[in-house]
Amino acid sequence: MMEGVRSSGPVIAAMPLYNEEETIGTVVIQSLKHVDQVYCVDDGSYDSSARIAAKLGAKVHYHRSNKGYGAALKSIFKYALESNAEALVILDSDGQHNPNDIPVVLEPILSGNADFVIGSRFIEGGSGEEMPAYRKLGVKLITATSNLTTDLSVRDTQSGFRAFSNRALKKIRFDQDGMESTLEMLEQCKDMDLSVTEVPTVIRYDVPKGSRFTAMSHGFTVLSYALISLSQKKPFLAFGLPGAGLLTLGSAIGMRALNRVNDFAGTSLNLDLTVGPGLTAAWLSMLGISLIFTGLVLQGTRTIMKRLIVRNFGLE
Ligand SMILES: Nc1nc2c(ncn2[C@@H]2O[C@H](COP(=O)(O)OP(=O)(O)OP(=O)(O)O)[C@@H](O)[C@H]2O)c(=O)[nH]1
Ligand SMILES: [Mg+2]
C-alpha cells in the first residue's frame, strides 16, 4: 500500500497479459506489495495465465480474442479512469520488469513532479548494456525518430514500464492497437502539455520466454509508425533532409565528373568516365530536389490546414 495524502482513487499496477503462465504469478504477488490493486488484461491467452492472476488477487479483464498490446492498454486506461486512479503503473507480465521497481517509477507521479514516467534502460542506472545489440539499435532508431516528431528528448521510448498521473489518464487518448501505442502516447504528452520524465530501471533478457521472434516484426511496425508520424507532423524535415542528402551526393558526383572532363579535355577518355557519373549525378539531384519540393508543399499544406482548423473550430 502506498503512503501519503490521497486526492483521488487507488494506485493501480496493470499489465497486458498474453500467454505468460510461467511468470504472471510472481509478477502479481510482487506488484501487490507496492500498490492498492493489480489489474491484468488477458488478451485471449490460451494458457492458464488469467486463472493464475485471478487466483493470486489480480482483477482480470478478458478480451475474447487477441486484440494486441495497444488494445490491452486501452482497456487498462478505461479501468483506471473509471476508478479515478491517483496513479497507474503499467509493466510487462513476462518477468522482464522487476515489480520491486514500481515505487521508483511511481515516485515522480506521487510527489507531483511528473505526469508520465518511463522506466528507462538508457539513463544512468538502467540496463541498456544487457540488451541484445540488434534490439538496442532498433530501439535507438525508433527513439530518435520519435524524438524528432515530439521535440522531447526521451532516451527510451520503447519501455513498457510506465506510470501515469490522474491528469495524464484524463488527457491521453490513443488509437493504435499494437505496440505503436507507446509512441502515440508520447505524442499526446507533447500535444497535451504533460510533463514526461525517465527513471532508470533494469529490464531482463534472461526470462523464461526471453526475446521472441515477434520482437523483430514488432520493431518494424513501430519504426514504420514513427516514420509515418514524422512525415505527417514534420513533412519538411522528413522529406527535405533525405532530399538534401541526395542533392548533396548528386552534386558531389557531378562536380567530380566535371573535373574529369577538364582533366582529360581533348582525349577519348572523356565520354567513358563522365557519362555514367554524369547521369547518376543528374538523377540523384533530381530525386533530391523532388523530395525537398514534396516536403515544402506538404509543410505548406499542413500549416494552412492548421490555421483553418484553429480559425474555424478554435482547436490546435
Ligand atoms: N494483451 C496483450 N498483451 C500482449 C500482447 N503481446 C504481448 N503482450 C504482453 O505485453 C508485454 C510485452 O510483450 P513482449 O512480447 O514481451 O514485448 P517486448 O518485451 O517488447 O519484447 P521481448 O523482448 O521479445 O520480450 C508482455 O507482458 C506480454 O505478455 C498482446 O497481443 N496482447
Ligand atoms: Mg517482453
Side-chain angles (χ1 to χ4, degrees), residues 20 92 94 96 135 204 207 210-212:
E20 308 286 7
D92 287 357
D94 61 359
Q96 279 188 289
R135 298 285 306 265
R204 291 176 55 184
V207 291
S211 273
R212 278 165 264 184

Short mmCIF file of all heavy atoms in Angstrom, two decimals, residues 20 92 94 96 135 204 207 210-212, ligand 2:
data_model
loop_
_atom_site.label_atom_id
_atom_site.label_comp_id
_atom_site.label_asym_id
_atom_site.label_seq_id
_atom_site.Cartn_x
_atom_site.Cartn_y
_atom_site.Cartn_z
N GLU A 20 1.42 -15.87 -20.46
CA GLU A 20 2.60 -15.71 -19.59
C GLU A 20 2.44 -16.52 -18.31
O GLU A 20 2.71 -16.05 -17.21
CB GLU A 20 2.82 -14.22 -19.23
CG GLU A 20 2.86 -13.26 -20.38
CD GLU A 20 4.15 -13.33 -21.21
OE1 GLU A 20 4.97 -14.23 -20.96
OE2 GLU A 20 4.30 -12.48 -22.10
N ASP A 92 5.25 -5.14 -17.83
CA ASP A 92 5.07 -6.37 -18.60
C ASP A 92 4.82 -7.54 -17.66
O ASP A 92 5.30 -7.55 -16.53
CB ASP A 92 6.31 -6.66 -19.45
CG ASP A 92 6.44 -5.73 -20.65
OD1 ASP A 92 5.53 -4.90 -20.85
OD2 ASP A 92 7.43 -5.86 -21.38
N ASP A 94 5.74 -10.63 -18.46
CA ASP A 94 6.64 -11.74 -18.79
C ASP A 94 7.88 -11.80 -17.90
O ASP A 94 8.81 -12.55 -18.18
CB ASP A 94 7.07 -11.68 -20.28
CG ASP A 94 7.82 -10.40 -20.63
OD1 ASP A 94 7.99 -9.55 -19.74
OD2 ASP A 94 8.23 -10.26 -21.80
N GLN A 96 10.11 -9.44 -17.39
CA GLN A 96 11.26 -8.61 -17.80
C GLN A 96 11.42 -7.39 -16.89
O GLN A 96 12.51 -6.87 -16.74
CB GLN A 96 11.10 -8.16 -19.25
CG GLN A 96 11.53 -9.24 -20.23
CD GLN A 96 11.57 -8.71 -21.65
OE1 GLN A 96 10.53 -8.43 -22.24
NE2 GLN A 96 12.75 -8.55 -22.19
N ARG A 135 18.53 -5.35 -30.91
CA ARG A 135 17.36 -4.73 -30.28
C ARG A 135 17.68 -3.28 -29.90
O ARG A 135 16.87 -2.39 -30.04
CB ARG A 135 16.96 -5.47 -29.00
CG ARG A 135 16.55 -6.90 -29.16
CD ARG A 135 15.16 -7.03 -29.76
NE ARG A 135 14.13 -6.31 -29.05
CZ ARG A 135 13.34 -6.83 -28.13
NH1 ARG A 135 13.47 -8.08 -27.80
NH2 ARG A 135 12.40 -6.11 -27.57
N ARG A 204 15.08 -7.26 -17.85
CA ARG A 204 15.84 -8.51 -18.01
C ARG A 204 15.63 -9.13 -19.38
O ARG A 204 14.56 -9.03 -19.98
CB ARG A 204 15.38 -9.51 -16.94
CG ARG A 204 15.79 -9.11 -15.54
CD ARG A 204 15.24 -10.09 -14.54
NE ARG A 204 15.63 -11.47 -14.83
CZ ARG A 204 15.20 -12.51 -14.13
NH1 ARG A 204 14.36 -12.34 -13.11
NH2 ARG A 204 15.60 -13.72 -14.43
N VAL A 207 14.63 -13.97 -19.13
CA VAL A 207 13.38 -14.52 -18.58
C VAL A 207 13.00 -15.77 -19.38
O VAL A 207 13.54 -15.99 -20.46
CB VAL A 207 12.24 -13.47 -18.64
CG1 VAL A 207 12.50 -12.35 -17.67
CG2 VAL A 207 12.06 -12.94 -20.04
N GLY A 210 12.23 -15.19 -22.89
CA GLY A 210 13.28 -14.36 -23.47
C GLY A 210 12.75 -13.48 -24.60
O GLY A 210 11.55 -13.30 -24.74
N SER A 211 13.67 -12.96 -25.37
CA SER A 211 13.28 -12.15 -26.51
C SER A 211 12.75 -13.06 -27.60
O SER A 211 13.37 -14.05 -27.94
CB SER A 211 14.48 -11.37 -27.03
OG SER A 211 14.57 -10.19 -26.31
N ARG A 212 11.62 -12.68 -28.12
CA ARG A 212 10.96 -13.58 -29.06
C ARG A 212 11.11 -13.16 -30.51
O ARG A 212 11.42 -12.02 -30.80
CB ARG A 212 9.48 -13.66 -28.72
CG ARG A 212 9.25 -14.63 -27.59
CD ARG A 212 7.89 -14.41 -27.04
NE ARG A 212 8.00 -13.55 -25.88
CZ ARG A 212 6.98 -13.24 -25.12
NH1 ARG A 212 5.80 -13.68 -25.40
NH2 ARG A 212 7.15 -12.46 -24.07
MG MG B 2 8.97 -8.95 -23.11
#
